[in-house]
Amino acid sequence: MLTQRLQAKYIKAELESLINDALLIDPALAKRLDELRRWIKDKKVGLLTRKPLLLDFVSELILDTRLWLKLKQLPSQEKQRFLEKAQMTQAEKYWYEFLFPQWFNECDPKLDTWKSKMMSGEYTQQDVRLINALSAQIESSGGACLWRYIIDLSMATDLLTSGNSDEPLCVQMTISSPEWLANKKDHWEATLRYWGITRGLLLSVNPKNLDDNLSLLADAILQKGESLPESCYDLHIY
Amino acid sequence: MGIENSILNKDAVESALLSLKAIRTYERDRRTHGVRRVEVYYEDIEGDWLEKWGEEDESESKQPHLSN
């Protein structure tokens, strides 16, 4: 289906109108959005080669914020009706009810790092194909997945997954060599703990044989999602 | 709660469902198009929108200086 495409210049006005809306409903959210708006304004010269990435990031943030603001304003009975109709996955509920508000209510210690990574081009998203393929595999095995810039950049999470009834699991993949793995795990765990995330899985993977073993990896993630306790930061060498 | 609120709340639920549909679609677009999903929705990504970001704000912030 062909849709009329938007002019990129309107995104700024959309972000500003969203900040105004958020101001009345949740000032902390308005403040975080305004912080990003001002960052783009101040650093735009450094970001000129990153236009598609920036536009994608802001678009995702706008869509998430619009939904969150609407949900926040629903009276409890209507919220119940929404949940019945929406059939949200556990991963989606966890994102909108917990992680997203955590992000704008708390100080984000990684915000400066990822801003500079975005500007320098260090944030390349080379793993997008792998994460997409893994997500498709997890979904075909009955699980659910969620990816967002914020969970990737701020929360050391490649993928938020959930099974049928279990609690969501924050999954991070790493290709660290064995001698760096302990150090990597410490940093990863500290980040998850900072955000109040209680269930995490760090997967040490070998990129060489990953493509052929995606279905096994997806099954391992789902199985871990069901078997790990309510609070754990597990390292799995795959 | 009166009839008006009842109607408006029904609309609010429908409106939230549409927002959920939008973000789900956008997430799905990432599966199909990867990092190029913005191209589905914007036509001038490499245009001068970023260069012009904040231009009006700057002229606004200069006004107080002129009156000083």
Side-chain angles (χ1 to χ4, degrees):
Chain A
M1 187 183 71
L2 277 176
T3 47
Q4 179 84 42
R5 290 193 297 164
L6 302 161
Q7 288 185 33
K9 66 178 178 186
Y10 293 124
I11 194 146
K12 178 175 168 273
E14 198 171 348
L15 182 62
E16 284 168 349
S17 118
L18 198 59
I19 292 169
N20 280 332
D21 293 349
L23 210 49
L24 299 168
I25 300 160
D26 195 314
L29 174 56
K31 190 170 171 239
R32 180 57 51 84
L33 295 177
D34 195 51
E35 197 182 330
L36 289 168
R37 183 193 65 83
R38 276 185 288 112
W39 168 65
I40 296 169
K41 183 185 149 196
D42 295 341
K43 304 289 181 191
K44 59 188 179 188
V45 174
L47 286 162
L48 288 181
T49 58
R50 316 291 295 153
K51 284 176 185 173
L53 174 71
L54 199 59
L55 199 57
D56 191 32
F57 166 66
V58 177
S59 297
E60 186 184 273
L61 189 59
I62 285 173
L63 290 168
D64 264 340
T65 305
R66 281 261 174 254
L67 173 58
W68 192 86
L69 289 173
K70 287 180 186 177
L71 292 180
K72 174 93 176 170
Q73 288 170 287
L74 283 183
S76 61
Q77 221 177 337
E78 271 67 31
K79 178 79 186 291
Q80 206 49 48
R81 277 186 44 226
F82 169 86
L83 289 172
E84 281 162 19
K85 286 191 169 186
Q87 300 288 316
M88 284 173 123
T89 65
Q90 292 299 324
E92 285 174 323
K93 282 185 192 161
Y94 191 63
W95 169 243
Y96 290 108
E97 288 171 6
F98 180 66
L99 283 184
F100 185 51
Q102 277 287 86
W103 175 69
F104 59 73
N105 280 308
E106 300 296 326
C107 166
D108 182 350
K110 289 194 186 286
L111 206 56
D112 286 336
T113 316
W114 67 248
K115 279 176 185 167
S116 62
K117 270 191 180 175
M118 250 191 203
M119 286 176 70
S120 66
E122 233 179 293
Y123 184 61
T124 54
Q125 304 195 74
Q126 276 173 336
D127 54 1
V128 64
R129 201 185 56 83
L130 170 66
I131 289 170
N132 281 344
L134 186 61
S135 303
Q137 199 69 53
I138 289 172
E139 285 173 357
S140 74
S141 301
C145 297
L146 186 137
W147 183 92
R148 291 292 188 274
Y149 279 101
I150 291 166
I151 62 167
D152 184 15
L153 289 160
S154 294
M155 302 176 174
T157 296
D158 281 326
L159 213 49
L160 183 58
T161 67
S162 62
N164 289 327
S165 58
D166 54 340
E167 292 286 308
L169 187 65
C170 286
V171 181
Q172 172 83 320
M173 285 179 282
T174 178
I175 50 169
S176 297
S177 54
E179 63 267 33
W180 287 105
L181 206 49
N183 185 273
K184 172 87 187 180
K185 182 175 187 287
D186 288 347
H187 281 95
W188 165 79
E189 185 174 329
T191 302
L192 264 54
R193 284 184 187 277
Y194 176 83
W195 292 109
I197 295 168
T198 55
R199 296 182 92 224
L201 176 64
L202 181 65
L203 285 169
S204 173
V205 294
N206 179 352
K208 282 179 193 153
N209 61 16
L210 210 49
D211 281 344
D212 301 330
N213 293 306
L214 273 182
S215 67
L216 292 173
L217 189 61
D219 288 345
I221 291 170
L222 284 171
Q223 191 265 324
K224 287 277 179 189
E226 276 166 31
S227 62
L228 288 174
E230 262 181 51
S231 177
C232 66
Y233 306 93
D234 198 47
L235 170 65
H236 185 68
I237 298 173
Y238 187 74
Chain B
M1 190 172 74
I3 177 73
E4 183 180 320
N5 275 342
S6 180
I7 291 167
L8 295 179
N9 284 338
K10 183 169 169 285
D11 285 350
V13 171
E14 294 304 321
S15 169
L17 286 167
L18 283 176
S19 290
L20 176 66
K21 188 179 175 188
I23 183 68
R24 277 178 174 168
T25 303
Y26 201 58
E27 187 172 11
R28 190 60 46 185
D29 289 331
R30 193 178 155 88
R31 300 280 180 84
T32 320
H33 305 283
V35 293
R36 301 170 69 99
R37 68 176 165 178
V38 272
E39 293 170 15
V40 177
Y41 299 101
Y42 296 96
E43 61 181 15
D44 57 345
I45 296 163
E46 295 294 347
D48 61 358
W49 61 273
L50 185 56
E51 285 87 336
K52 289 185 170 165
W53 188 290
E55 265 181 7
E56 307 96 79
D57 308 344
E58 279 155 25
S59 56
E60 276 167 27
S61 65
K62 276 174 190 164
Q63 278 173 1
H65 295 286
L66 292 173
S67 60
N68 277 346

